[in-house]
Amino acid sequence: MTSIAVPGHGSLTIECVVVGAFRENAYLVVDEATRHGVLVDPGDEPDRILEMVSRAGATVDAIWLTHGHLDHIGAINALRARIPAPVYLHPLDRPLYDTGTEAAARFGLTGFDQPGPPDRELADGQVMRAGGLEFTVVHTPGHAPGHVVFLRPGVMLGGDLLFRGSIGRTDLPGCNADDMQRSLAWAVRLPGDTAVYPGHGPATSIGLEWATNPFLTGIALPVRR
């Protein structure tokens, strides 16, 4: 488990546990002022995610999903049995979400716990709250049709849009490489000090990826001063 204080952005704390065969980052985002927060992309190993919540002493008000791939949704059923929190997903990702069992079989994985339907839909521009903190939903298709990120000044919960030194795959069902390029072109225009908490791998920043990520070289990048 990794606890990440986010200085300069209110009382936000982000904790992370890496779960499952795909080493996916399941996040707990907590407003320290209220001790309320949300889970983002609880992909597997629900007991470890619940332990993270317990250690943080947090109340989980919702489960936010950046997209519907199996490695981001596999703990939902078990969490729902313990946490009365609604699950949010962009409607364009329902086909991926609803066929997690079939996707797991394609990867040779057994024991995938197919979650029931999400409770609420996400939409571009929607304002979400983690305790007293606000995030804006931004639709960033490419890795998945309904992929979104959750953005507030200085912080992006980025799912599988942008990784340290890489980007999300575009060779899976539902992916679209042209959409991914447009989504990345939007992302690199964020302030360089925006911290990125991705679905896999270590945290990074927009500025670091703008300067070093080889997958961004084909994008018309903004001038950095």
Side-chain angles (χ1 to χ4, degrees):
M1 181 176 69
T2 301
S3 180
I4 308 164
V6 184
H9 299 289
S11 55
L12 174 65
T13 298
I14 298 174
E15 300 194 14
C16 175
V17 60
V18 180
V19 298
F22 293 95
R23 305 291 293 165
E24 186 265 341
N25 294 334
Y27 290 106
L28 172 66
V29 181
V30 179
D31 173 12
E32 290 290 345
T34 64
R35 303 308 303 162
H36 281 250
V38 298
L39 286 169
V40 180
D41 291 351
D44 204 345
E45 302 185 63
D47 289 344
R48 293 183 61 215
I49 294 172
L50 288 166
E51 181 182 6
M52 175 172 63
V53 172
S54 177
R55 287 183 179 178
T59 298
V60 174
D61 295 330
I63 296 172
W64 299 350
L65 302 177
T66 61
H67 62 295
H69 282 151
L70 78 155
D71 54 325
H72 291 249
I73 66 174
I76 288 175
N77 273 348
L79 293 173
R80 275 174 158 165
R82 299 281 298 277
I83 298 173
V87 175
Y88 288 78
L89 176 73
H90 194 285
L92 290 178
D93 257 28
R94 275 300 299 273
L96 295 176
Y97 180 97
D98 290 340
T99 55
T101 299
E102 292 89 334
R106 289 197 298 271
F107 283 102
L109 301 176
T110 59
F112 177 76
D113 190 5
Q114 175 66 49
D119 300 289
R120 299 175 188 173
E121 294 185 350
L122 296 170
D124 187 62
Q126 183 177 357
V127 175
M128 308 290 290
R129 289 175 175 81
L133 305 173
E134 293 186 349
F135 287 79
T136 300
V137 177
V138 181
H139 183 211
T140 53
H143 179 66
H147 191 287
V148 303
V149 302
F150 302 99
L151 182 68
R152 62 179 278 107
V155 177
M156 183 172 78
L157 300 163
D160 288 2
L161 173 63
L162 180 64
F163 305 133
R164 185 180 292 186
S166 190
I167 62 173
R169 293 176 62 172
T170 57
D171 60 344
L172 300 170
C175 293
N176 185 294
D178 291 337
D179 284 345
M180 176 63 95
Q181 290 297 298
R182 284 187 284 269
S183 294
L184 290 168
W186 165 82
V188 299
R189 283 163 174 76
L190 294 171
D193 62 354
T194 301
V196 178
Y197 298 94
H200 304 269
T204 186
S205 71
I206 293 296
L208 177 63
E209 299 312 308
W210 171 82
T212 64
N213 192 322
F215 292 91
L216 302 183
T217 56
I219 295 174
L221 300 177
V223 175
R224 301 285 186 187
R225 299 187 185 276

